[in-house]
Every structure is written in structure tokens, then in C-alpha cells.
Amino acid sequence: MVLRPPVEPMLAQAREPLPGPGVLSGGLAFEAKFDGYRCLLFSPAQPGGPVFLQFRRGSLIQRHFPDLVRAAARLPPGLVLDGELVVWHEGRFSFEALQRRAVSGGRTVDRLAATYPAHYIAFDVLQTGGEELLAEPYERRRALLEALFADHGLTAPWTLCPMTTDPAIAQEWLTSWTEIQGVEGLVIKGRSQRYLPGARGWCVNCTFSGSLDRAIPSARCAAGGGRVVGAARVLHRR
């Protein structure tokens, strides 16, 4: 099945403290949670085809973000990404500027795109090369996402969401990212989880009141995910 919009995104439920062993299948993966707009991105199925940007509830908003549409036209065909749409302005995330862009129209669209360029923080891949990946485990989807960034040398406006399986690094993120406005907490996923559209199968943790030592002992930190601070700095490299 080739994915076409609208596609319901998989969701998270608030969970404090950290979920215990066995709640999420395959061990835990921790991703940084950013304060933006949830957005699914559909690259052209064929060269010259349309790009679609879909908000969480299904509305298509590509006309408000011509800068991302132009950049997405150069992505591999038949790609569907899940991620967060943000604006990085004057050294910080600006949700206000993002809101302005999301409702812009007419000549204002291009002016705001030049003043407040959008960035896309990708945390999942649902389709690549026309192959639908919803039934694949998170761990494989993440590996494909990292390979996409590495193989195509993706830079701004594309950012790979920081992810780690190391509980110590996740703990550091929760205590050190106060210097970054717009980083909200952690999204916690099972490494063998399938992508279930519309289901609240992930956990979100915005403050931490327990120990991370129940997470899986084998750990790694994804490329670009050593520190949330480092990921944030990537966004302003044009």
C-alpha cells in the first residue's frame, strides 16, 4: 500500500514516571520532544509531482510553507516522514512565528518564509521508495531514517531528531535543556513497536521524577543526538 494523505499520526500519552519494563516492547528509545506543529511530509511520488505537508488532524498546509515544499522536492521520491515543524529565529525556537506562518496567505506567505524560515525535525519514516513501513519495528525505521540523512547529506531545513537508548543521556537531556526554549521533554518509544496510526502507543515525559536505570542496558546515541543543545544549534545553519 502506498501512503497518501491524510494519514493519522501515531500519538503519545503522558506518563510519569518512566514506564516500567515490558510496557513498551523491545526496550526503550528516548527522543527529544520539541514545541512545534506535528507534521507528516510526503515527497513527490515521481519527479515533478506535488509535495504534501499534513498537520496532525489531517489538514494540508503546504501552501503556507513554500520554502519547505521547494526543499522537499529534492528529497527521494515516495518518501513519507513524521516529524515536528518548527521555526528557528534569532537563536531560539519561535512558536509565535510558526503560528503566523501557518495562517499566512497571499503575498505574506513568501515574505514570512524569508523572514522566518521553517525547519523540519524528522523522527520517523513511514515510507521510503514507495515501500510502506508501518508494520516494521521502530528500530528498523529509525535505522532507515538515519541512513536517509547520511546517504543524502541532509542539512537545513532538515534535522534528525535526537534519539538515544542510553538512560544516562536521556537523564542529562531532562536536566540540561532548560537553556533551550522550545524543548519540552522526552518521547519514549518501544524499539520493536510498529507504527500504529491514531493509537496512543508512545509515552511522553516532560518532567522526570524517577530513575532511568530500568531501561535496557545496551545503549547507543544516534548521529546528531549526543546533546539536545547540539541539535538545536543545527537548525540555524543555512
Side-chain angles (χ1 to χ4, degrees):
M1 177 182 69
V2 176
L3 297 176
R4 294 283 187 270
V7 172
E8 284 190 89
M10 191 168 174
L11 304 173
Q13 57 182 327
R15 184 70 179 258
E16 297 181 23
L18 186 75
V23 174
L24 298 175
S25 60
L28 302 181
F30 307 91
E31 294 178 352
K33 184 181 186 303
F34 295 88
D35 184 19
Y37 282 146
R38 183 74 176 275
C39 181
L40 272 65
L41 183 149
F42 300 76
S43 76
Q46 298 177 348
V51 171
F52 297 106
L53 300 175
Q54 177 203 312
F55 273 174
R56 171 182 164 181
R57 299 189 183 278
S59 58
L60 296 177
I61 47 84
Q62 57 271 6
R63 68 187 180 91
H64 301 294
F65 296 92
D67 47 339
L68 273 187
V69 169
R70 287 190 292 269
R74 298 188 292 273
L75 291 174
L79 182 68
V80 180
L81 298 177
D82 191 1
E84 202 79 8
L85 190 59
V86 301
V87 165
W88 180 263
H89 181 63
E90 295 183 344
R92 65 180 181 89
F93 292 102
S94 177
F95 191 73
E96 178 184 1
L98 180 63
Q99 288 178 310
R100 289 181 63 189
R101 292 209 53 188
V103 297
S104 62
R107 287 178 291 182
T108 306
V109 171
D110 290 326
R111 179 173 60 81
L112 290 179
T115 306
Y116 305 114
H119 296 261
Y120 189 86
I121 303 173
F123 53 70
D124 215 327
V125 56
L126 312 187
Q127 182 174 283
T128 180
E131 177 192 358
E132 180 252 294
L133 302 170
L134 301 184
E136 295 296 322
Y138 167 83
E139 194 165 42
R140 178 171 184 252
R141 299 195 314 273
R142 177 71 193 196
L144 290 170
L145 182 63
E146 292 178 14
L148 172 72
F149 272 77
D151 294 346
H152 295 274
L154 296 184
T155 57
W158 315 112
T159 297
L160 179 62
C161 182
M163 184 280 292
T164 184
T165 59
D166 186 337
I169 292 176
Q171 180 73 72
E172 180 194 355
W173 289 353
L174 282 173
T175 56
S176 68
W177 60 37
T178 52
E179 61 190 284
I180 310 170
Q181 179 180 345
V183 182
E184 295 184 318
L186 294 175
V187 177
I188 306 161
K189 303 177 179 181
R191 292 170 66 183
S192 63
Q193 276 186 304
R194 300 170 58 187
Y195 190 99
L196 303 173
R200 291 191 177 273
W202 300 328
C203 298
V204 60
N205 189 298
C206 294
T207 60
F208 195 72
S209 57
S211 172
L212 286 167
D213 60 10
R214 288 173 292 171
I216 56 174
S218 60
R220 70 186 178 91
C221 187
R227 285 179 58 91
V228 178
V229 175
R233 287 172 180 158
V234 168
L235 294 179
H236 71 275
R237 295 176 187 167
R238 298 295 295 172

